[in-house]
Amino acid sequence: MMKKARDVLHRPFTSDFLKIILEGCLVGIFTGLVVSLFRWIIDQTMQGLQIIYPFMGHHHLAIIGYLALMIVICLILGRLIHPYQLDLIGSGVPQIEAILNDQHSMNWFQVLWRKFIGGLLAICPGLFLGREGPCIQMGAAIGQGVGQQLFHRDQQATKTLLACGVAAGLSAAFSAPLAGTMFLLEEIVFQFKPKIWLTALAAAICSDAVTIGVFGTKPCLYLPITVNLPLRSYPVIALLGIILGILAYGYQWCLLNLRWWFSKVPKLPAQYHSIIPFVLLIPVGLWQPKLLGGSHLLINDIAKQGAKPPLSGFQNLLILMGIFFVIRFVLSMLSYGATVPGGIFMPILVLGSLLGAISAPLMIEAGIIPANAFINIVALSMAAYFGAIEKAPFTAILLLTEMVGSIEQILPMTIMTFVAYVVNDLLGGRPIYTALREEIFA
């Protein structure tokens, strides 16, 4: 017997998704408000560092006062995070995974305000940390709070709202709702259930809408990509993907050894480990303040290097980018391992951009790509290096596409990211947050 549409379709306005989606929208709005304030404070402080360090370069006595300030910040930060140290260290993503796997629980309000202040105390002085980690965990805390305190939802529904807070947090951090949702699915929950992704997407859209109202519609890491890569460059792109995959494995190896290395620091409590990178930041800032922080400023400067055709003095550029890479790599590791709140997304993207800035001049000199394709290689390298380290290629491609504001490079970006991912996997690399979760909650 043939059925009519009315016998198959649901009645209007009876979907059981509507309530949880509306709750997800509320999580997104709250997260967008908190993250917008967080981002604004960091942006203003980063601009301030570009004034403070040149001033100290001309007034050397000011360095003593600044060093004293770093010590005070370290002490305050240590006191702030110590009662909830397990929850607050690092990006917070491994802790969220543990909560969703019933290995851990958190006091959402304590985590929210302590992560907000602690993240600012760690990132604003210039530690090589990303804002996205605190934003993701604050979004998760807001999601848990909305579920528990506002709507009194059961444990499973509260977990769903906590998960959508993750997507909202990353979306608000980078104005990237699709990447925020995909990150949740690809790296946190490892499943594609409609109730999860619909709620997460609703939260991500709402949080992004709030941040757009504050920061505008321009992509947060806009790069002026104006040309497509020639077909002859694709084999070299695959080769570069192999190199980036190997380097991604090296990054994972170093990152997963940080806790062991810091445990060897004698007579210094873990909550005060941040004094090591805080002190090391000062000479770096005096030399080149744009190296400090996340850092969007450095990526924008790298992009400007490629916007000067023809690319002149590329040997000096290679040496400078190589020095920048070593400094950023070492201090990123020291910053993340120093028992402070902060993410690794942006530091990874900066390292990827530097690797692209090293590779692009060589490809230009060899006639593989035109000079105005320098920025293309920078963007592709960021996606591939990030995707291999995080073991999240879809997130990497979506994130770079949304952040950079261009879809012209999808195919070469996919090729390079896929190759880098496979190489890291063959070497024994693992999803980094899962590995960190197993290390923390062993």
Side-chain angles (χ1 to χ4, degrees):
M1 179 178 177
M2 300 299 292
K3 293 183 178 181
K4 296 181 179 180
R6 68 184 181 186
D7 299 321
V8 179
L9 298 174
H10 296 297
R11 292 170 56 193
F13 306 107
T14 60
S15 171
D16 58 351
F17 285 166
L18 183 59
K19 183 178 181 181
I20 192 73
I21 287 175
L22 291 176
E23 292 172 1
C25 289
L26 194 60
V27 171
I29 292 170
F30 287 157
T31 300
L33 292 171
V34 172
V35 170
S36 293
L37 178 60
F38 190 77
R39 278 180 60 176
W40 183 84
I41 294 173
I42 291 174
D43 288 347
Q44 298 304 309
T45 309
M46 287 297 107
Q47 293 177 17
L49 291 181
Q50 309 308 308
I51 299 172
I52 292 171
Y53 272 98
F55 175 83
M56 291 194 298
H58 293 92
H59 303 81
H60 295 164
L61 287 178
I63 298 174
I64 299 174
Y66 193 79
L67 177 60
L69 177 62
M70 293 299 100
I71 295 172
V72 171
I73 291 176
C74 174
L75 294 174
I76 295 173
L77 186 56
R79 292 289 297 273
L80 179 72
I81 67 173
H82 184 61
Y84 293 88
Q85 187 168 297
L86 183 62
D87 285 303
L88 298 173
I89 60 172
S91 65
V93 176
Q95 292 88 331
I96 294 167
E97 281 194 11
I99 292 170
L100 294 175
N101 284 281
D102 297 318
Q103 294 177 297
H104 186 55
S105 62
M106 72 173 173
N107 183 319
W108 70 271
F109 182 72
Q110 291 292 334
V111 168
L112 177 59
W113 77 265
R114 289 175 188 270
K115 195 78 172 190
F116 186 94
I117 297 175
L120 292 177
L121 289 174
I123 297 171
C124 289
L127 288 186
F128 291 12
L129 297 167
R131 68 190 181 212
E132 74 293 326
C135 294
I136 289 170
Q137 192 173 18
M138 288 189 294
I142 290 170
Q144 180 178 319
V146 168
Q148 289 180 346
Q149 303 299 319
L150 196 58
F151 295 113
H152 306 288
R153 301 284 276 171
D154 60 28
Q155 183 181 19
Q156 191 57 46
T158 297
K159 280 186 177 182
T160 300
L161 291 174
L162 180 148
C164 78
V166 171
L170 182 55
S171 172
F174 290 141
S175 297
L178 294 179
T181 305
M182 183 55 68
F183 170 75
L184 172 70
L185 301 175
E186 192 175 29
E187 277 208 80
I188 305 295
V189 298
F190 303 107
Q191 53 184 309
F192 198 79
K193 292 183 178 180
K195 183 171 286 188
I196 294 176
W197 74 258
L198 277 172
T199 310
L201 184 59
I205 292 170
C206 289
S207 67
D208 186 35
V210 173
T211 57
I212 284 177
V214 177
F215 299 102
T217 58
K218 184 177 180 180
C220 71
L221 193 61
Y222 174 72
L223 297 180
I225 296 175
T226 58
V227 299
N228 290 321
L229 293 172
L231 187 60
R232 65 177 180 273
S233 67
Y234 280 40
V236 181
I237 285 171
L239 176 61
L240 182 55
I242 294 174
I243 296 171
L244 291 173
I246 295 171
L247 293 174
Y249 176 79
Y251 184 98
Q252 286 194 342
W253 187 89
C254 292
L255 192 72
L256 293 170
N257 276 304
L258 286 175
R259 285 165 60 87
W260 183 83
W261 287 335
F262 270 93
S263 70
K264 302 301 179 182
V265 178
K267 299 180 180 180
L268 183 62
Q271 66 265 31
Y272 301 123
H273 282 167
S274 59
I275 192 60
I276 299 171
F278 272 137
V279 171
L280 293 176
L281 284 179
I282 296 177
V284 174
L286 290 172
W287 176 55
Q288 183 53 264
K290 289 186 178 180
L291 279 174
L292 302 177
S295 151
H296 290 75
L297 295 174
L298 181 58
I299 294 178
N300 290 332
D301 268 11
I302 292 170
K304 290 176 183 177
Q305 291 290 334
K308 301 174 182 177
L311 197 64
S312 59
F314 81 98
Q315 295 93 342
N316 293 333
L317 179 62
L318 291 179
I319 294 171
L320 184 62
M321 294 298 105
I323 293 172
F324 282 1
F325 181 85
V326 172
I327 293 173
R328 287 285 316 184
F329 186 92
V330 172
L331 278 174
S332 293
M333 290 296 166
L334 291 176
S335 297
Y336 193 78
T339 319
V340 295
I344 57 174
F345 276 32
M346 202 62 211
I348 290 173
L349 293 176
V350 172
L351 291 174
S353 71
L354 289 168
L355 291 171
I358 293 170
S359 306
L362 297 175
M363 296 173 70
I364 292 169
E365 285 295 310
I368 298 170
I369 60 173
N372 55 357
F374 178 97
I375 300 176
N376 300 52
I377 301 301
V378 170
L380 267 59
S381 297
M382 284 193 285
Y385 192 60
F386 176 89
I389 290 172
E390 297 282 341
K391 298 294 291 282
F394 286 102
T395 300
I397 294 166
L398 283 174
L399 182 64
L400 262 297
T401 299
E402 290 183 288
M403 289 179 67
V404 170
S406 172
I407 62 171
E408 300 296 328
Q409 302 302 304
I410 289 292
L411 179 58
M413 186 179 291
T414 302
I415 293 171
M416 189 186 291
T417 304
F418 178 78
V419 171
Y421 175 95
V422 170
V423 169
N424 185 28
D425 187 71
L426 291 173
L427 291 174
R430 297 189 58 201
I432 193 65
Y433 288 125
T434 300
L436 286 169
R437 171 171 59 87
E438 292 177 0
E439 180 186 30
I440 294 171
F441 296 96

